[in-house]
Amino acid sequence: MDNQDLMRSARFRKEREADWRRLEALVRDAESKGLQKMAFAETRDLASLYRQATTSLAIAREISLDKALLAYLEALTARAYLCVYAPQQQLGGLLERFLATGAPQAMRRSWLFLLLGFLCMALGALTGYLLYFENNDWFYVFMPSDLAGGRGPDATTEALRAVIYSDDHNTGGLGAFATYLFSHNTMIAIFVFGLGVFACAPAVLLTFYNGLILGAFFALHVDRGLGLDLFGWLSIHGVTELSAICIASAGGLKLGAAVLFPGRYSRKDALRHAGRDAVKLAIVAALMLFAAAILEGFGRQMVQDLQLRLLIGWGAGALWLSWFLLGGQNPGWGRGRGWQR
Amino acid sequence: MRVRFWPKNKKERPSPSTLLPPEGVALTLPIAGIGVRLAAQITDILITVVAVVCLMILLGLADLFSASTMFAVGSLLFFLIRVPYYICTELVWNGQTLGKRLMKIKVVSHDGGPLTAHALVLRNLMKEAEVFLPATLLLTLDAGNPLESLASLLWIIMALLIPLLNRYRQRLGDMMAGTHVIHLPVPLLLADLAEKTPPLSQTRRKFVFLTHQLDHYGAFELQTLEALLRSQSSPSGHEAAKQRNATIEAIVEKIRKKIGYADPVPPADRLKFLQAFYNAQREHLEQRQLFGDRRENKHYAQSEEDA
């Protein structure tokens, strides 16, 4: 068939169809292999053919009424756009970058929220402690029965001591590990982070409540003269675990603060901005909870000595702290920008 | 429905599906709806649950846990598998989990740039807080505690309502990560109908349309005819073929009456007639469009009078 016989839009298509087909093949390659693995000539062609295709689309919208052609060009340019402007990010070094610079810098940037998180917990603990000495019955108000495990003002001092220094546990090994990890504290951590978005209040309340439980529990043992023993029992994993809850709470507070006080941004933008650090705090909290679960599931039963318990617990705490304070200090490292903004 | 309530400010905003790249030609990246995303999500949940069940059987055979801790171990494994699953698949396939690949949808950055690892991690961690946590609560809580069940139910409903209330169908996690989900368009180039016809010189001798005969229809009718002609090539059974012939006949008669085409069209030539009419009509409309006379549909003359 002679080209002159065709109408204008059909001729337009015929002249460019080969280029479109080539772009289609290149897009398919880029999507399956990734841009990094393509030859230089191919990526160069991809970019220039994409620009040609957008021009074709603009012209076709004006001169052609062929719906099939328009739909094809719309789809082709959209796919090519994603290949050219939104390619796969390099994944190498992602974890390393996070551990070495991202996480500690995010922690240092959010020091105010971390302070608030720890303050919530500490105030809660203090309140719980004082309330217990005012009236023993407060213990039953704060403490969920499944968490207390029979320990309360009614229990004898001997029974309390036995729990602290017991080496037989009815669910051993993996089962104990699982139940601990999935128990109370992980739940609380996810709650305080996720709920922080709703204007801070749930995160503050939950952290405070967690502190209340801790305070009342501690007061019970101090009352019986077991204060130091409980301190050791809690320290071995609690330093890590309670810090993780406070850090998760700080992440939640950061999100909530963005909703409450967006400043010159829109609320959505402020939330997105705050999310950058909040998600890092959440991952740090998750890591710490995981470490705490290992300490709790295995370490607590094996280590019976008070001094050793204190040493392990606070040693782990010091390690975390040094990571947060010293990690990624060199501004020339990583993405090439310091942590001060 | 909503357009009717706020007709003015809705019209001025561009459609959420269009994106203006640096090239200056608006591209279309259609927003994925709730239904298809839910389907992808269910597929993903099925995949992870199957993985958990396999692992549980393996652990059970190795006798690593007792029956009393089975539920705790199971939920822990589910948690430990699904969190990295979503993050890793979306990182590796640039915004697509297996379920999303199956449904041909994809996460894109809201500003049109590349997807950062941070955004993908954030949107999937928020999924944990938004959907999975209240769902597990709802499943594990007993009837003795109606307040907490009600709270988690309300929570789920709210999490599902948020995407319905914004134009980009973003979850809370999407908003925070600055992402939304699109249908991945499939480029499929169908043959040009105008090219498929027998040499024009032959058909032109047979069917000749005058300019005033081509002034009755607009682009919408032309594209409907295009869809009809394309569907003719697909094979069909005896019954369907009969029905199709009846449709063709009705359409040919309708067009003939509308444009005042006097010569009768013999049954064997009906498709050829439609084909020739499509060509002539398209050429005519495209030419009018080049002169700035865009005809959306057959009511183009009336809308011009209104304006």
Side-chain angles (χ1 to χ4, degrees), chain A residues 90-110:
Chain A
Q90 285 275 41
L91 293 182
L94 198 69
L95 198 68
E96 198 185 312
R97 212 166 56 221
F98 171 78
L99 290 177
T101 53
Q105 286 175 2
M107 291 290 289
R108 288 199 295 265
R109 270 199 297 269
S110 354

Side-chain angles (χ1 to χ4, degrees), chain B residues 238-252:
Chain B
H238 179 68
E239 240 353 86
K242 220 162 126 189
Q243 205 167 7
R244 188 187 277 174
N245 276 339
T247 319
I248 295 282
E249 186 181 356
I251 289 169
V252 169

Side-chain angles (χ1 to χ4, degrees), chain B residues 185-214:
Chain B
V186 184
L188 183 67
L189 187 52
L190 300 167
D192 197 340
L193 277 180
E195 221 176 297
K196 234 170 49 178
T197 49
L200 276 179
S201 42
Q202 277 182 27
T203 37
R204 198 158 267 167
R205 229 181 305 139
K206 223 165 184 174
F207 305 107
V208 181
F209 300 97
L210 302 173
T211 312
H212 71 87
Q213 288 179 319
L214 297 174

Side-chain angles (χ1 to χ4, degrees), chain B residues 68-88:
Chain B
S68 60
T69 55
M70 197 174 87
F71 187 75
V73 173
S75 51
L76 170 74
L77 276 180
F78 186 42
F79 180 80
L80 284 185
I81 285 179
R82 84 176 170 237
V83 173
Y85 166 80
Y86 287 108
I87 294 175
C88 291

Side-chain angles (χ1 to χ4, degrees), chain B residues 17-230:
Chain B
S17 298
T18 58
L19 179 137
L20 198 68
E23 282 72 32
V25 180
L27 301 180
T28 315
L29 295 164
I31 302 287
I34 300 295
V36 68
R37 288 177 66 181
L38 204 63
Q41 183 63 66
I42 289 171
T43 317
D44 284 329
I45 289 177
L46 281 181
I47 290 170
T48 39
V49 164
V50 165
V52 168
V53 168
C54 291
L55 258 178
M56 288 287 279
I57 292 172
L58 212 71
L59 285 179
L61 287 179
D63 214 20
L64 275 175
F65 60 88
S66 58
S68 60
T69 55
M70 197 174 87
F71 187 75
V73 173
S75 51
L76 170 74
L77 276 180
F78 186 42
F79 180 80
L80 284 185
I81 285 179
R82 84 176 170 237
V83 173
Y85 166 80
Y86 287 108
I87 294 175
C88 291
T89 47
E90 290 202 349
L91 277 174
V92 168
W93 282 305
N94 201 14
Q96 288 186 298
T97 60
L98 285 173
K100 287 199 176 76
R101 281 173 85 85
L102 212 64
M103 297 295 150
K104 294 205 168 50
I105 58 178
K106 182 182 187 304
V107 182
V108 292
S109 177
H110 203 52
D111 56 9
L115 280 169
T116 57
H118 156 80
L120 290 178
V121 171
L122 179 55
R123 77 182 292 279
N124 283 307
L125 276 189
M126 278 310 288
K127 181 184 279 171
E128 219 39 61
E130 260 178 276
V131 184
F132 283 116
L133 197 68
T136 20
L137 272 185
L138 205 61
L139 290 178
T140 49
L141 283 178
D142 48 350
N145 207 339
L147 196 70
E148 281 180 46
S149 308
L150 198 71
S152 45
L153 189 67
L154 274 179
W155 188 355
I156 291 190
I157 290 174
M158 199 201 62
L160 289 179
L161 272 184
I162 289 176
L164 283 176
L165 293 180
N166 70 69
R167 307 165 73 223
Y168 290 92
R169 299 284 172 264
Q170 287 172 301
R171 289 193 282 118
L172 204 55
D174 276 325
M175 278 182 204
M176 285 158 71
T179 56
H180 62 259
V181 183
I182 57 156
H183 282 287
L184 207 52
V186 184
L188 183 67
L189 187 52
L190 300 167
D192 197 340
L193 277 180
E195 221 176 297
K196 234 170 49 178
T197 49
L200 276 179
S201 42
Q202 277 182 27
T203 37
R204 198 158 267 167
R205 229 181 305 139
K206 223 165 184 174
F207 305 107
V208 181
F209 300 97
L210 302 173
T211 312
H212 71 87
Q213 288 179 319
L214 297 174
D215 278 338
H216 293 280
Y217 292 114
F220 174 75
E221 289 77 20
L222 180 77
Q223 283 165 355
T224 313
L225 180 60
E226 178 188 339
L228 177 88
L229 286 172
R230 281 193 198 284

